[in-house]
Amino acid sequence: MRGPLLLLTGLLALGGWVMPIEAATDPLAEKIQRERKRLEALKDKIEEKRKREEAAEKKRESVLQGLQSLDERLVHHRQDHQDINRKLRQKDRELDEITEQLVTTRTSVQARREAILARLRVQYMEGRFGYVKALLTADSYGDLQRRGQYLSAVSQKDYELLQGFRADMARMEQAERQRADARDGLMVFKQNIEKKLADIRVLQKEKTLYLKKITHQKDAYHRAVEELERSASRVDHLLQDWESRRRAVALHPPTTASLPRGIRGALPWPAEGQVVSFFGRQKHPTFDTYVQRKGIEIRTTEGSLIHAVMPGSIVYADWLKGYGLVIILDHANGFFSLYAHASKILTKVGEQVVEGQSIGETGDTGMTGENTLYFELREGAEPVDPLHWLAKR
């Protein structure tokens, strides 16, 4: 019995027990496979969500970036408008010159025409053989020679008169064509100006609506304030960095004397106009929030010149979110000055300027709906009230 029992045991081991082991391992393998597929699907979902978020982030413009995009388009259209205006004035001058030339040429043509008519009347009265008669009535050979020379000179003068008349007529016709072309060009420039003005009006309306959205929607306003604070922090960091460098240089001062410090209450104004926003803590008229203003705003007319309040060097001249076109001067005497909302910059980084020099033109770029100049004065990196330093008026 032992032999068959061993055989049965072997068969059971080979057959009956092998199947349960395989049956036990198959569900585990399937479970691992299912989990792997679930993880891969989860990874795909995470990647898809990440891509959607990136696409949404790229598509979503910040409040101030949208404002700056409008400002950049406005500045571009205004520059085009100024260029077209300049070309229009040039075309006007060209038209005036052509008209003056036409008057002169017509006067010359009229004089030559009258001279030719007078010669024709004389020749008609003398008849066809008037020249021959003049020669035949000569008293001597010498008289004949003199009469021949005289008639030759008269003939040359008649020829020159006709040639001059033809040349004047050609010049007059050319001037008439030039004047017609100039008038056509003038009409094209005027049409282009009207189109640019229409584009500017559309963009100005779009910016006005955009600013209303910012100032009347609390979320948009808070986002704008946060972004303005980040821009202001950037200015602070820049000024702190420049001040640190200046102090490092001051440890080894140059041989030349530094610029004199600004005299309190005697600095010239950066632009003409009325102060409409003051230094310090300001409350929003609609929302119960406060902002800390580090400078003043001066209402100006568009395109007014911006002047440096002290001698110095340009350390920044570019766009800055919320501030529009910005110019920053280092006065090398412990002061910095900042000029914002410009429509045009008339200088470049590294340039040395003198007190009162024109460095830009005022405008409405940045967080402003009217033509203003935002002006900051810093002693070191710390803002000070500009009205304490500007001359009284």
Side-chain angles (χ1 to χ4, degrees):
M1 292 294 293
R2 189 174 182 181
L5 184 60
L6 290 169
L7 179 61
L8 179 60
T9 303
L11 288 171
L12 288 171
L14 291 171
W17 287 101
V18 170
M19 294 303 294
I21 292 171
E22 290 179 354
T25 55
D26 280 346
L28 181 61
E30 289 175 3
K31 186 176 180 181
I32 292 172
Q33 187 66 21
R34 284 197 303 273
E35 288 297 325
R36 184 179 290 114
K37 288 181 179 178
R38 191 178 292 113
L39 282 172
E40 288 176 356
L42 185 60
K43 285 180 181 177
D44 290 341
K45 286 182 180 179
I46 291 171
E47 181 64 20
E48 184 181 352
K49 185 178 179 181
R50 185 184 65 80
K51 288 180 179 178
R52 283 202 305 268
E53 287 176 351
E54 286 180 356
E57 184 65 25
K58 287 179 181 178
K59 188 176 180 180
R60 186 184 71 84
E61 277 191 327
S62 74
V63 175
L64 297 188
Q65 183 58 50
L67 194 61
Q68 182 170 315
S69 298
L70 282 171
D71 280 335
E72 288 175 353
R73 289 163 61 195
L74 264 170
V75 167
H76 177 71
H77 280 302
R78 282 170 177 158
Q79 287 175 349
D80 285 347
H81 178 254
Q82 289 174 358
D83 289 340
I84 295 170
N85 256 329
R86 186 169 57 253
K87 291 176 181 176
L88 182 65
R89 289 193 295 270
Q90 183 180 346
K91 191 63 71 174
D92 268 333
R93 289 193 296 272
E94 181 183 332
L95 195 59
D96 289 341
E97 289 172 3
I98 292 171
T99 301
E100 187 178 344
Q101 180 186 345
L102 263 173
V103 171
T104 303
T105 306
R106 281 173 178 164
T107 302
S108 177
V109 165
Q110 184 62 28
R112 291 181 192 277
R113 181 183 286 114
E114 290 173 359
I116 289 170
L117 289 173
R119 287 294 303 142
L120 287 173
R121 282 194 294 270
V122 169
Q123 289 178 2
Y124 176 77
M125 292 174 65
E126 290 178 347
R128 185 184 301 180
F129 302 107
Y131 285 99
V132 177
K133 290 178 182 178
L135 291 172
L136 291 176
T137 56
D139 296 333
S140 63
Y141 180 72
D143 186 28
L144 179 66
Q145 280 185 319
R146 284 192 299 274
R147 292 187 179 214
Q149 289 172 354
Y150 170 76
L151 292 173
S152 177
V154 169
S155 179
Q156 180 65 29
K157 287 292 182 183
D158 288 345
Y159 175 78
E160 290 174 357
L161 184 62
L162 286 171
Q163 288 297 101
F165 179 77
R166 291 193 185 102
D168 283 345
M169 288 297 295
R171 280 195 296 272
M172 190 169 69
E173 289 171 1
Q174 183 182 5
E176 290 283 6
R177 287 193 298 269
Q178 288 176 342
R179 187 167 70 167
D181 291 341
R183 281 175 174 168
D184 291 342
L186 208 62
M187 290 302 298
V188 171
F189 285 137
K190 286 181 178 178
Q191 289 169 1
N192 289 339
I193 283 176
E194 290 299 321
K195 184 179 182 305
K196 282 296 171 187
L197 286 173
D199 292 340
I200 288 169
R201 283 192 289 268
V202 168
L203 283 172
Q204 284 176 327
K205 186 177 179 181
E206 193 174 342
K207 181 176 179 180
T208 301
L209 293 174
Y210 199 93
L211 285 170
K212 283 182 180 178
K213 176 184 174 183
I214 292 173
T215 52
H216 294 286
Q217 292 183 8
K218 198 166 186 176
D219 290 342
Y221 174 75
H222 283 311
R223 287 203 309 273
V225 169
E226 288 172 1
E227 292 184 48
L228 269 174
E229 288 173 350
R230 284 196 291 272
S231 292
S233 296
R234 183 185 172 195
V235 173
D236 289 340
H237 290 319
L238 284 171
L239 292 172
Q240 287 166 5
D241 182 48
W242 291 327
E243 178 64 12
S244 298
R245 292 181 189 179
R246 185 164 60 189
R247 287 178 179 175
V249 172
L251 296 175
H252 306 283
T255 54
T256 56
S258 63
L259 294 171
R261 289 178 64 84
I263 301 173
R264 191 180 180 91
L267 292 180
W269 281 69
E272 292 296 326
Q274 179 186 359
V275 177
V276 292
S277 180
F278 294 87
F279 179 86
R281 196 164 182 254
Q282 306 287 321
K283 186 177 181 180
H284 190 275
T286 305
F287 311 118
D288 191 21
T289 56
Y290 288 87
V291 292
Q292 186 70 26
R293 291 193 177 273
K294 298 178 180 179
I296 61 172
E297 278 191 328
I298 304 168
R299 184 183 288 124
T300 64
T301 55
E302 183 183 350
S304 299
L305 291 175
I306 301 170
H307 304 285
V309 296
M310 284 185 281
S313 62
I314 307 296
V315 291
Y316 190 91
D318 206 341
W319 290 95
L320 186 62
K321 286 181 183 178
Y323 290 81
L325 283 172
V326 174
I327 307 163
I328 301 178
L329 269 71
D330 179 0
H331 299 291
N333 60 354
F335 284 89
F336 293 95
S337 58
L338 179 147
Y339 314 76
H341 302 329
S343 62
K344 185 184 290 186
I345 294 174
L346 303 177
T347 185
K348 58 180 181 291
V349 172
E351 185 176 339
Q352 298 290 326
V353 298
V354 298
E355 180 181 306
Q357 181 174 330
S358 300
I359 57 175
E361 294 179 7
T362 60
D364 59 358
T365 59
M367 279 280 291
T368 180
E370 55 185 352
N371 289 286
T372 59
L373 172 68
Y374 176 71
F375 175 67
E376 283 187 18
L377 191 62
R378 303 283 187 111
E379 189 169 7
E382 292 300 316
V384 296
D385 189 346
L387 292 179
H388 293 164
W389 292 86
L390 296 173
K392 305 299 180 186
R393 61 179 188 180

